[in-house]
Amino acid sequence: MYHFDKAILYTRTDIENNNTQYLSIFINSKNQSNYFVSSSWGNEMNCYLIDKNAKMSHKYYLESLKDVTDFTYEYSWKFSPTNHEVNCENFIANEIKLDSLYTKIEAINYTNKKKKRIDYQYTFILKPIDVPILNTITTILQHHRQLDCLDFTISQNNIPSSIKYRCNKGCNLNFDLVSIKDTDVDFEVKEEDIKFKNK
């Protein structure tokens, strides 16, 4: 049984294509080894429950956009930790305290360790929250594992209120926090009901 007590909603806007996606994240504030992510494009939903301890992902179907807790299990697959090494030599991050509440993180990845040409960059605006979820949320939202190079000196009791992602290939994405709510959602995946699918 998977239990989630926090529901976090972001918008993800592709500036170049003028598309906005809703990204809903369910977490258990006391056990963040599992989380549930659902994302929307128009009337379509992609929904996944991630179990990091079991190294499994479970795919779900959302019956109705009007009820974001009405999910139907579809199939599962095993995943392995990525074998790609993260080259932190090409990566730098600056932490800027904006005021008593907000902190800005500027994270830049260069094409090589000479640090002359930017490959991509993130700008985070962080705000305090009563749950230590900073690493969990940035892991879910990140596109590149180089964010693993970030050594946050601020408290884990922060959450990105906005993220700007830019890359030299024209990527132009904005993530904006819409809401954080208490919830009471349970998922049960019985071993005998698991249907495996190769990914």
Side-chain angles (χ1 to χ4, degrees):
M1 179 72 72
Y2 299 94
H3 176 71
F4 302 104
D5 58 13
K6 290 286 184 184
I8 303 167
L9 181 65
Y10 281 91
T11 55
R12 175 187 179 273
T13 303
D14 184 336
I15 305 298
E16 297 295 323
N17 297 310
N18 195 29
N19 287 327
T20 297
Q21 174 190 34
Y22 286 93
L23 188 69
S24 180
I25 302 169
F26 294 161
I27 67 165
N28 184 327
S29 59
K30 297 180 178 61
N31 177 14
Q32 295 178 42
S33 61
N34 313 307
Y35 54 83
F36 186 91
V37 179
S38 61
S39 58
S40 70
W41 282 109
N43 290 324
E44 295 184 6
M45 296 291 294
N46 295 311
C47 310
Y48 302 95
L49 194 161
I50 309 299
D51 184 334
K52 293 191 291 185
N53 288 338
K55 296 183 173 59
M56 290 186 67
S57 294
H58 305 288
K59 173 76 166 61
Y60 283 81
Y61 171 73
L62 181 60
E63 298 285 355
S64 170
L65 291 175
K66 295 180 180 179
D67 183 357
V68 294
T69 62
D70 187 16
F71 297 99
T72 301
Y73 171 75
E74 290 191 278
Y75 57 83
S76 304
W77 70 93
K78 290 270 191 179
F79 63 84
S80 300
T82 179
N83 292 321
H84 298 298
E85 293 185 3
V86 178
N87 190 349
C88 292
E89 289 185 352
N90 300 349
F91 196 78
I92 64 169
N94 295 313
E95 186 177 310
I96 304 167
K97 192 70 174 175
L98 299 178
D99 55 33
S100 60
L101 291 178
Y102 289 89
T103 301
K104 179 165 74 171
I105 304 274
E106 294 179 336
I108 300 174
N109 188 79
Y110 291 89
T111 54
N112 56 52
K113 62 183 179 181
K114 294 181 180 179
K115 297 184 174 65
K116 291 185 177 180
R117 184 184 177 196
I118 295 176
D119 187 13
Y120 57 84
Q121 62 188 84
Y122 288 86
T123 301
F124 299 82
I125 303 297
L126 306 178
K127 71 173 188 177
I129 188 175
D130 60 353
V131 182
I133 60 172
L134 180 57
N135 280 346
T136 299
I137 298 301
T138 54
T139 297
I140 293 170
L141 296 180
Q142 73 177 354
H143 283 67
H144 300 276
R145 286 189 61 239
Q146 275 84 350
L147 288 190
D148 297 342
C149 299
L150 287 177
D151 183 16
F152 291 113
T153 61
I154 61 174
S155 167
Q156 283 295 309
N157 287 69
N158 278 274
I159 189 169
S161 62
S162 70
I163 301 175
K164 292 183 179 180
Y165 167 60
R166 306 291 185 263
C167 75
N168 64 11
K169 296 181 180 179
C171 313
N172 195 350
L173 303 176
N174 288 350
F175 294 86
D176 291 290
L177 180 64
V178 177
S179 63
I180 307 170
K181 297 179 180 179
D182 292 334
T183 190
D184 185 12
V185 177
D186 292 314
F187 291 86
E188 184 174 13
V189 184
K190 295 181 180 179
E191 188 173 353
E192 61 268 25
D193 294 333
I194 293 178
K195 297 179 288 187
F196 283 105
K197 182 175 181 179
N198 293 329
K199 293 296 288 183

